[in-house]
Amino acid sequence: DLTEYVPLQKEAKEGRVVTQYDMYSLDLNVSPNALGLMKMDILGLRNLTTLGEALKMVEKTTGKKINIYDIPVDNAKTYELISNGQTVGVFQLESAGMQRLCKDFKPNKISDLAAIGALYRPGPMDLIPTFIEGKKHPKKIKYLHPDLIPIFQETYGVLVYQEQVLEIANKMAGYSLGEADILRRAMGKKKKEIMEKEKKKFVDGCVKNGYQKKTAEDIYAFVEKFAAYGFNKSHAASYALISYWTAYLKANYPIEFITALLTAELQGVAGPLREQKMAQALEECRRMDIAVLPPDINKAEYNFTIEGRSIRFGLSAIKNIGLAAIESIIEARSTGVFEGFKDFLMRVDLRKVNKKTVESLIKAGVFEKFANRATLLSAYPPLAKEIIDKKAEAIQGQFALFSGGTVESIKKDSFQSLPEVSEDEICEMEREVIGFLLTRNPLSQYKEIIELKVKKKLGEITTEDVKSTLILAGCISAKKVIKTKKDNAEMAFLTVYDETGSLEVITFPKAYASLKHFLNVNTAILFKGKVDNKDDKLTILLDNAVNLERSKKDKAVS
């Protein structure tokens, strides 16, 4: 009934400026009509970029041109991947909590994916155990009336969607869909006066359609209890389809998908979160036995690329390497591979490939085929000055660049080789210019002590471990420090990962005060803590930790 909105609509048409406050009185659903405007919310998803890039790579590597809308929605490999919780990079399903839910629930159809996406929110999350039980034992589901079976069958007896409220009111109480939506909104917003009025209308409608009054009252009470948690089904279905598409490509074209995922994550906002996402994707490569090749000055492109059945690291993932520098490198390389470090410096534009850029490339290891990092970092400054001076003289016409020698002798590296820097320094260089360790597993050098002390990997921890105290190992990928309200003391939330997954590690003030000097991003730690489960999210409450990078003997945790 829109009669109450007519005056405002009339004023809008007559030219009166309708303020946002006025629009709010229209419940924001009528106001666009009153103003003659349409309101649209547009959500940008990096996952769609991943999908698009993956499809291009599939066509390039296999010759198959896949229309994402035509792929089958019953692919067994896809549901197997999801049910195993191998969902890193899969839209909506990649959090640790979602991975556990997928393992427990084992979805095998699109409607399952839609439902778990709708339920995995504060509030309806409490219904998940009932939902899982209904999936595993459908014969045990109890319906208040047989006519509810078609409405609740696909959600295993649980009210998940707003549309289910509409369907019940429409089919059982004789509501029009418009009237049913008024009922749904009243229940969702707990509008008591409207709900009391609607209850009588609902029960009378059901009785008129042949249902017992007691049954009608029970159904109304059931719907009223869960209507506030109801999710829009079209929204859930759309998200589920994107989840399925990403999972399908990962299951059936893993290298193409992961390459696209790495490229998409690289394009995210720079900072700890991007580095964490990149590190997580690289760990997933290790789990899937997909080799990620280090950046090579003669092979690396701007983004990550597929090379055989491996992935080549992209130049743009290295810090301090801008687009202009990469374009200069690729343009120079188009005439032939670089035959040495000196050849590289001679052929690129050193105004674009500047000192900071070259040093970052060296630290990232792109010139390893020419010489080690220590040698190149030492040789670069005098060699660059020499080349810049000679180029300037050649431009002025004083004499030819590097005159007096053959082309081969000019290109040949002739600098003195130095012993390579330590393993720790190489790791530090990679952290500096990449943000994480690429060519080395950050925990591999501590393999002996980890195997001795650690009995379970991070990704292997389940709800069965809750309240257990475990010794674990991992590398810190993110850190958030806050102050407590009670005494203004610092505590920290750490994200720690290993080759199997990641978990949040909560460090309370007492522990943080004694350990904060080494609890930093990119630090490898051995730590002891209790497994906790809050809001269906597994975390570790830290008791103690030792810095693996400074000690290979566990003295602090026993």
Side-chain angles (χ1 to χ4, degrees):
D1 184 2
L2 302 181
T3 55
E4 61 184 290
Y5 303 130
V6 170
L8 187 53
Q9 289 178 326
K10 183 179 179 181
E11 289 174 355
K13 289 178 181 178
E14 291 174 352
R16 173 179 174 267
V17 176
V18 182
T19 66
Q20 190 161 349
Y21 182 83
D22 292 325
M23 288 192 289
Y24 184 77
S25 70
L26 302 180
D27 202 22
L28 296 179
N29 289 320
V30 181
S31 57
N33 294 333
L35 293 169
L37 301 174
M38 177 183 290
K39 177 178 178 288
M40 299 178 69
D41 290 336
I42 300 175
L43 176 65
L45 296 175
R46 192 175 300 129
N47 306 81
L48 298 179
T49 301
T50 302
L51 281 170
E53 290 301 313
L55 291 173
K56 290 177 186 176
M57 291 179 184
V58 169
E59 185 176 3
K60 185 177 180 180
T61 57
T62 68
K64 296 179 183 177
K65 188 169 185 177
I66 298 174
N67 184 334
I68 198 68
Y69 296 100
D70 292 339
I71 64 173
V73 293
D74 58 354
N75 181 259
K77 288 178 70 175
T78 302
Y79 289 110
E80 182 182 358
L81 177 141
I82 295 171
S83 296
N84 289 334
Q86 297 170 351
T87 51
V88 171
V90 176
F91 179 58
Q92 276 210 314
L93 305 181
E94 61 181 339
S95 70
M98 266 297 195
Q99 288 179 12
R100 289 192 297 275
L101 176 56
C102 289
K103 288 180 182 179
D104 292 340
F105 182 66
K106 300 196 179 304
N108 59 358
K109 50 189 175 182
I110 284 285
S111 61
D112 285 350
L113 297 181
I116 62 176
L119 288 172
Y120 197 76
R121 300 175 293 120
M125 192 175 283
D126 295 337
L127 302 174
I128 288 176
T130 305
F131 185 70
I132 294 174
E133 183 66 19
K135 166 81 168 178
K136 292 180 178 178
H137 306 288
K139 291 183 179 180
K140 293 183 179 180
I141 300 173
K142 295 180 180 179
Y143 297 96
L144 293 172
H145 190 278
D147 287 354
L148 291 174
I149 294 176
I151 299 173
F152 286 121
Q153 195 166 31
E154 79 169 15
T155 55
Y156 310 104
V158 176
L159 195 159
V160 175
Y161 303 117
Q162 296 170 355
E163 287 83 350
Q164 289 172 307
V165 178
L166 306 187
E167 196 171 1
I168 292 169
N170 174 248
K171 291 187 175 180
M172 302 187 75
Y175 280 58
S176 70
L177 290 177
E179 292 172 331
D181 194 47
I182 292 172
L183 170 66
R184 190 270 309 167
R185 280 189 287 167
M187 288 180 167
K189 296 180 179 180
K190 303 294 184 185
K191 294 183 177 180
K192 291 184 179 180
E193 291 184 7
I194 301 177
M195 286 167 63
E196 288 175 6
K197 177 183 174 182
E198 292 296 332
K199 180 178 180 181
K200 184 178 186 309
K201 181 179 178 180
F202 182 90
V203 173
D204 289 348
C206 287
V207 171
K208 184 179 178 180
N209 286 335
Y211 297 98
Q212 295 292 324
K213 183 177 180 180
K214 177 68 166 59
T215 300
E217 290 174 340
D218 289 344
I219 292 172
Y220 185 88
F222 174 81
V223 173
E224 182 183 14
K225 181 179 179 181
F226 298 109
Y229 296 149
F231 198 74
N232 183 279
K233 188 176 183 180
S234 60
H235 189 164
S238 299
Y239 272 24
L241 193 57
I242 299 173
S243 298
Y244 179 84
W245 286 342
T246 51
Y248 176 88
L249 288 174
K250 184 177 182 181
N252 293 276
Y253 303 96
I255 292 180
E256 290 82 358
F257 176 80
I258 291 291
T259 305
L261 176 66
L262 284 165
T263 297
E265 296 296 1
L266 178 60
Q267 294 168 355
V269 178
L273 180 60
R274 184 178 74 175
E275 292 176 2
Q276 179 185 349
K277 288 280 189 181
M278 294 285 291
Q280 184 184 44
L282 288 170
E283 286 300 326
E284 185 69 354
C285 289
R286 294 187 181 104
R287 186 196 65 77
M288 297 170 69
D289 292 326
I290 298 174
V292 178
L293 306 173
D296 183 296
I297 198 62
N298 279 320
K299 295 180 180 179
E301 301 292 340
Y302 182 84
N303 285 323
F304 291 83
T305 52
I306 297 173
E307 196 172 302
R309 300 310 293 167
S310 302
I311 300 172
R312 176 68 68 179
F313 203 82
L315 292 173
S316 60
I318 304 171
K319 295 178 183 179
N320 307 315
I321 315 296
L323 176 60
I326 296 174
E327 287 178 342
S328 177
I329 292 169
I330 294 175
E331 183 182 356
R333 198 175 65 194
S334 65
T335 60
V337 299
F338 299 115
E339 297 179 17
F341 185 59
K342 188 175 179 181
D343 182 35
F344 168 81
L345 294 177
M346 288 172 59
R347 289 164 57 188
V348 299
D349 186 342
L350 293 179
R351 293 168 299 179
K352 297 176 181 178
V353 186
N354 58 31
K355 181 175 184 290
K356 198 168 187 179
T357 297
V358 175
E359 288 179 347
S360 292
L361 289 169
I362 293 170
K363 290 177 180 179
V366 304
F367 301 112
E368 277 201 340
K369 290 184 178 178
F370 303 150
N372 63 39
R373 291 170 172 86
T375 298
L376 296 177
L377 287 172
S378 174
Y380 168 65
L383 186 56
K385 184 178 184 307
E386 180 185 357
I387 291 173
I388 291 171
D389 290 345
K390 293 292 185 183
K391 283 184 177 182
E393 291 173 357
I395 291 171
Q396 294 173 6
Q398 294 182 18
F399 45 80
L401 179 62
F402 291 100
S403 58
T406 64
V407 173
E408 288 73 18
S409 65
I410 292 171
K411 289 182 177 181
K412 187 176 181 181
D413 291 334
S414 56
F415 37 73
Q416 181 181 358
S417 295
L418 299 176
E420 180 60 296
V421 297
S422 68
E423 186 77 9
D424 287 345
E425 288 178 283
I426 291 176
C427 291
E428 189 56 40
M429 286 179 184
E430 288 195 2
R431 290 194 188 101
E432 177 191 341
V433 300
I434 299 176
F436 45 85
L437 297 182
L438 173 65
T439 59
R440 291 154 178 79
N441 182 329
L443 301 176
S444 61
Q445 58 185 308
Y446 313 110
K447 183 179 178 180
E448 185 177 341
I449 189 170
I450 289 174
E451 289 181 347
L452 178 66
K453 293 288 184 179
V454 175
K455 306 303 179 187
K456 183 167 282 194
K457 301 286 187 180
L458 298 179
E460 297 170 349
I461 296 173
T462 67
T463 52
E464 295 179 0
D465 297 307
V466 172
K467 296 185 178 180
S468 299
T469 297
L470 304 174
I471 294 178
L472 304 161
C475 191
I476 301 172
S477 61
K479 173 183 176 180
K480 179 182 179 182
V481 179
I482 66 169
K483 291 189 176 181
T484 60
K485 293 181 180 179
K486 184 178 179 181
D487 49 13
N488 204 36
E490 286 187 333
M491 64 175 290
F493 296 87
L494 310 174
T495 301
V496 180
Y497 70 91
D498 64 10
E499 67 274 17
T500 64
S502 64
L503 278 178
E504 183 178 65
V505 178
I506 301 174
T507 311
F508 291 110
K510 185 177 179 181
Y512 187 64
S514 62
L515 303 172
K516 67 178 182 179
H517 61 285
F518 68 82
L519 293 181
N520 300 312
V521 172
N522 290 323
T523 300
I525 60 173
L526 185 72
F527 62 101
K528 181 172 71 173
K530 182 180 291 185
V531 182
D532 189 38
N533 187 12
K534 187 176 181 181
D535 296 329
D536 199 39
K537 179 183 177 182
L538 291 177
T539 59
I540 304 294
L541 307 181
L542 187 71
D543 290 336
N544 208 344
V546 62
N547 185 352
L548 283 172
E549 296 182 0
R550 297 190 179 179
S551 173
K552 292 188 179 181
K553 291 185 178 181
D554 180 13
K555 295 181 180 179
V557 181
S558 60

